[in-house]
Amino acid sequence: MASAGSSAVFGPATFCAVTGGSRGLGRSIAVVLARRLGEGSRLVLTGRSLQGLQETKRQVEEKCPNYLEVKLVTGDMEDPTTYPAFFSDVFANTQPGAFKNAVMIHNAGTLGDLSKKAAEHSDPQILNKYYATNLTSAIALTAKFMEVFSGSAVRRTVVNISSGAAIEPLEHHSLYCSSKAARNMFFKVMAEEEPDVRVLSYSPGPMVTDMYYTIKSCGVKKVEDGCRIMESQGLIQNPDDSARHLLTLLEEDKFKSGAFLDVFDRFSL
């Protein structure tokens, strides 16, 4: 695996922001990534739980040298009126020329109300809050990232943490499936429009996280049976392993920008 010094994506003077960094895959990405970031780098972790972010920071600082700056930003993305202040905190004191690499990893996401079928989602306010959290915020944060790191002097990489649910319908998961599908297409279009930016959508696979346990006990027999089958086949991963696979993909840098790749190589779209 490439070291920080030999990676074109990471290495010295890298700015990296990871949303949803307070637990699960986001925490794993932060901890695994920190070892690859060189002197002058900054790691920004966002999430709703300050306590969770502080624990991630503790694990990061335990694993990496002291020269890495770790910044925590809390916020709830269901209210778009909070975005300007939140984005300002994420990119605060980011001076032009201070970083050689800039990486934006969109990991944050929620499942939505799994008690409802697709035709039962009738409350526009709930829908607006859900899509603000899971779609609008990622689009708007990407736009701010591109504004802050404009020009060709900085190597820019944008990662969308997706899911097999973006292409495979799951009963009672219509909000989750549709938000992942929409994000995938948004980033495909961005890759076409921004040839100087490396863009990747990545499906991390089923992992031992709080989200997985929620899905596993959602009350939908077909979905719960699918979880049991994956468990019997040994397909439920540790999030650290999926995080390492993602960073290897980024370091090898062989994917077509805008691609949708899977941890198990089940598809490459």
Side-chain angles (χ1 to χ4, degrees):
M1 189 171 291
S3 65
S6 63
S7 172
V9 184
F10 310 120
T14 294
F15 174 96
C16 182
V18 181
T19 68
S22 62
R23 58 181 179 172
L25 180 63
R27 174 175 291 168
S28 293
I29 290 173
V31 173
V32 175
L33 174 62
R35 302 171 185 173
R36 291 163 162 82
L37 298 177
E39 188 171 359
S41 294
R42 179 186 302 168
L43 178 61
V44 180
L45 305 174
T46 79
R48 289 177 291 182
S49 168
L50 177 59
Q51 183 177 2
L53 290 174
Q54 289 171 334
E55 173 57 22
T56 302
K57 181 179 180 180
R58 184 194 69 78
Q59 292 186 28
V60 164
E61 293 177 338
E62 191 177 70
K63 299 292 184 181
C64 73
N66 294 326
Y67 54 67
L68 175 63
E69 175 189 357
V70 182
K71 181 178 181 179
L72 308 181
V73 180
T74 58
D76 191 333
M77 294 293 93
E78 70 176 21
D79 181 4
T81 64
T82 66
Y83 291 1
F86 179 81
F87 295 170
S88 293
D89 287 344
V90 171
F91 298 107
N93 301 316
T94 304
Q95 304 300 326
F99 298 101
K100 296 179 181 178
N101 306 293
V103 183
M104 182 72 243
I105 302 179
H106 294 288
N107 168 71
T110 61
L111 289 170
D113 186 351
L114 302 186
S115 71
K116 288 182 168 60
K117 296 180 180 179
E120 296 172 340
H121 289 289
S122 58
D123 189 327
Q125 290 186 331
I126 292 176
L127 292 174
N128 286 339
K129 287 180 178 180
Y130 180 82
Y131 287 111
T133 300
N134 293 279
L135 178 60
T136 306
S137 62
I139 293 173
L141 183 55
T142 299
K144 186 65 176 180
F145 172 82
M146 293 293 289
E147 175 188 319
V148 171
F149 296 105
S150 59
S152 58
V154 181
R155 189 186 196 281
R156 296 165 294 176
T157 303
V158 177
V159 178
N160 166 42
I161 299 301
S162 187
S163 167
I167 58 173
E168 182 68 28
L170 293 177
E171 293 180 19
H172 288 247
H173 289 67
S174 57
L175 300 188
Y176 184 69
C177 291
S178 59
S179 67
K180 291 299 186 183
R183 277 170 54 153
N184 278 17
M185 184 52 70
F186 173 84
F187 287 108
K188 278 185 177 292
V189 172
M190 179 181 170
E192 293 293 324
E193 296 172 340
E194 305 290 345
D196 293 332
V197 181
R198 299 292 284 149
V199 181
L200 174 66
S201 289
Y202 172 71
S203 172
M207 298 169 290
V208 183
T209 62
D210 292 342
M211 181 177 283
Y212 173 72
Y213 287 118
T214 299
I215 295 172
K216 181 182 176 181
S217 59
C218 68
V220 181
K221 185 178 186 305
K222 185 176 180 179
V223 175
E224 293 181 351
D225 287 348
C227 289
R228 282 190 285 271
I229 291 171
M230 288 189 293
E231 289 177 359
S232 68
Q233 295 174 340
L235 297 179
I236 311 301
Q237 304 180 91
N238 184 302
D240 291 352
D241 294 331
S242 190
R244 280 190 284 268
H245 187 81
L246 167 62
L247 298 185
T248 297
L249 288 173
L250 295 176
E251 288 176 326
E252 290 177 346
D253 199 28
K254 297 177 181 178
F255 60 89
K256 178 183 177 182
S257 190
F260 178 29
L261 302 181
D262 173 64
V263 67
F264 297 127
D265 296 321
R266 292 173 296 184
F267 49 80
S268 178
L269 303 173

